[in-house]
Amino acid sequence: MIEKEDSIISEEEAAQYDRQIRLWGLDAQKRLRGSRVLLVGLRGLGAEVAKNLILAGVKGLTMLDHELVTEESCRAQFLIPVSNQGQNRAQASLERAQYLNPMVEVKADTDRVETKPDEFFLQFEAVCLTGCSRDLMVRVDQLCVRNNIKVFCGDVFGYHGYMFSDLGQDHNYVEEKPKVVKPKTESNDGPEAKKTKIDPNETTMIKKTACFCSLKLALEVDWTNEKAKSSLKHTPHFSTTRSIVLSPCVPLFFPTVLLKFRTDKGRDPHPESFEADAMLLRQIRDDVLEAMGLSSELLPHDFVSYCFSEMAPVCAVVGGVLGQEVVKALSQRDAPHKNFFFFDGMKGSGVVDYFGPK
């Protein structure tokens, strides 16, 4: 639950967050101010999410990463000085992250997330997992949702990225809508005067509730049933060119293949082992799609050419959306993305779609 202590915004904080308070209101900023977030993974995507959450003004951000800084990890990670190679990634990111906003309590944790007990995750209002294995994400998601903690996952693979959110069975939020002006019943000015009108100068807050499913259920869609098949009937094959529009259903298969590679190899595809990794990726694609009862042609032969390393611009887009969704969930303002966002850097376009029980 979001903390109630320190709910009063100080004059210094009001000045710091003036633009945001005007944008989404004082109550939403207070909710952010009372929220602690765990961010796992400090590669390029993690750095973007950290920046966005710190600038938004959460109460505290814990950055957890046990990996060491390498030359490659510095390419899309702007929080780590290039001279810090060999140091822990979370620790090396701490100074620049804290400098972004001294009012946020920023901490670095150098442990492996897999070694953390369940109790560790319960101290946060939101947990954001990047660069993690599928099994870990499923475990943490199930644990956190049982304890009313918001869960977010995300990754960037070359030109492609995605994010997932699980806000629980009953996520309450408010949306600001233009005020509807009802016509006067006694008006004699004709039919136009009796029509309902929208006043652009006034708004009203509408309370709503959204229901989310677990990551496990979202990844276990049965593609053999008729409803799922119908969504693929007119789906063009996944393409790495700009000439074909990407169907909302197909992007899910891309991270599914990459997450299976991560599970099998304990790492992501690496440019130095491109030939061997590309061969394994194609084999995993065949196995994964065959197990789903789908054609391997949904991911063409050359998909492996666009999924190595992290592209900084893709990290910026996906990290911006992911950070925004965390802020929206914690502040309880505006409709959340339900439940996946996929970004294709080859075409510069993204899509939001829902996978899981209807």
Side-chain angles (χ1 to χ4, degrees):
M1 180 176 290
I2 295 175
E3 295 181 16
K4 296 184 181 297
E5 63 177 3
D6 298 330
S7 59
I8 298 176
I9 299 290
S10 67
E11 290 186 11
E12 187 180 7
E13 288 173 319
Q16 172 82 2
Y17 304 127
D18 177 71
R19 178 180 175 275
Q20 294 160 210
I21 292 173
R22 293 173 186 271
L23 181 64
W24 54 56
L26 183 59
D27 288 341
Q29 190 64 43
K30 284 181 178 180
R31 294 188 192 100
L32 277 179
R33 177 67 179 80
S35 300
R36 297 184 183 275
V37 181
L38 172 65
L39 172 63
V40 179
L42 266 296
R43 298 174 64 192
L45 177 59
E48 292 285 351
V49 175
K51 174 200 69 177
N52 294 327
L53 295 180
I54 292 170
L55 292 176
V58 296
K59 182 177 183 63
L61 178 69
T62 298
M63 305 184 298
L64 189 153
D65 195 323
H66 72 281
E67 296 282 358
L68 301 181
V69 178
T70 63
E71 181 180 356
E72 183 186 7
S73 64
C74 289
R75 291 171 185 164
Q77 221 282 29
F78 53 83
L79 293 177
I80 299 177
V82 292
S83 59
N84 285 20
Q85 290 189 37
Q87 297 183 23
N88 173 268
R89 279 202 301 232
Q91 196 66 46
S93 303
L94 183 59
E95 182 177 358
R96 288 184 176 179
Q98 184 65 80
Y99 183 77
L100 291 170
N101 189 350
M103 297 182 187
V104 176
E105 301 171 13
V106 185
K107 300 178 181 178
D109 190 324
T110 61
D111 292 343
R112 294 183 67 97
V113 64
E114 292 86 356
T115 66
K116 292 293 189 182
D118 290 354
E119 294 74 19
F120 170 77
F121 299 95
L122 305 185
Q123 61 184 299
F124 304 100
E125 279 67 48
V127 173
C128 183
L129 305 170
T130 70
C132 296
S133 69
R134 172 173 170 160
D135 289 346
L136 176 69
M137 290 190 290
V138 168
R139 172 210 153 196
V140 173
D141 177 43
Q142 293 175 332
L143 166 69
C144 289
V145 171
R146 286 199 304 269
N147 291 277
N148 298 316
I149 299 169
K150 314 299 184 186
V151 179
F152 302 85
C153 307
D155 266 303
V156 168
F157 301 107
Y159 285 88
H160 299 272
Y162 82 96
M163 65 142 287
F164 165 84
S165 57
D166 182 2
L167 308 185
Q169 291 292 312
D170 297 295
H171 172 66
N172 300 312
Y173 64 96
V174 294
E175 272 191 302
E176 188 174 8
K177 297 287 187 180
K179 188 174 182 179
V180 177
V181 180
K182 294 183 178 179
K184 295 180 180 179
T185 55
E186 67 275 8
S187 175
N188 295 318
D189 296 333
E192 285 298 319
K194 295 181 180 180
K195 287 184 178 180
T196 301
K197 297 181 180 179
I198 295 177
D199 185 350
N201 299 317
E202 290 191 55
T203 60
T204 183
M205 306 305 291
I206 308 297
K207 294 182 179 180
K208 295 186 176 183
T209 301
C211 178
F212 286 72
C213 78
S214 69
L215 178 63
K216 185 174 186 294
L217 290 177
L219 295 176
E220 292 179 348
V221 174
D222 181 7
W223 293 99
T224 62
N225 69 48
E226 291 304 316
K227 191 171 184 180
K229 280 183 178 180
S230 65
S231 66
L232 290 171
K233 278 183 180 179
H234 305 292
T235 298
H237 294 165
F238 183 97
S239 177
T240 50
T241 69
R242 295 176 181 271
S243 60
I244 295 181
V245 177
L246 188 62
S247 165
C249 297
V250 178
L252 180 65
F253 308 141
F254 192 89
T256 301
V257 171
L258 271 296
L259 288 174
K260 182 67 166 60
F261 181 100
R262 181 181 288 166
T263 297
D264 292 349
K265 300 290 288 185
R267 61 172 177 83
D268 289 343
H270 198 281
E272 292 183 0
S273 53
F274 176 82
E275 293 299 330
D277 287 356
M279 185 179 300
L280 180 57
L281 280 167
R282 293 188 182 106
Q283 183 60 54
I284 292 175
R285 172 204 60 182
D286 296 344
D287 295 342
V288 166
L289 293 179
E290 182 182 351
M292 292 179 175
L294 301 171
S295 169
S296 62
E297 293 180 357
L298 285 168
L299 287 179
H301 197 68
D302 65 345
F303 87 98
V304 297
S305 300
Y306 304 93
C307 61
F308 282 71
S309 299
E310 285 185 309
M311 301 292 291
V314 179
C315 290
V317 173
V318 179
V321 174
L322 182 46
Q324 169 188 275
E325 289 306 302
V326 177
V327 169
K328 284 160 58 177
L330 294 175
S331 65
Q332 298 174 15
R333 275 297 303 266
D334 299 328
H337 286 347
K338 184 182 176 182
N339 52 355
F340 279 95
F341 168 76
F342 301 100
F343 181 70
D344 182 349
M346 297 296 293
K347 295 192 293 293
S349 63
V351 61
V352 176
D353 203 9
Y354 175 80
F355 294 96
K358 300 296 183 183

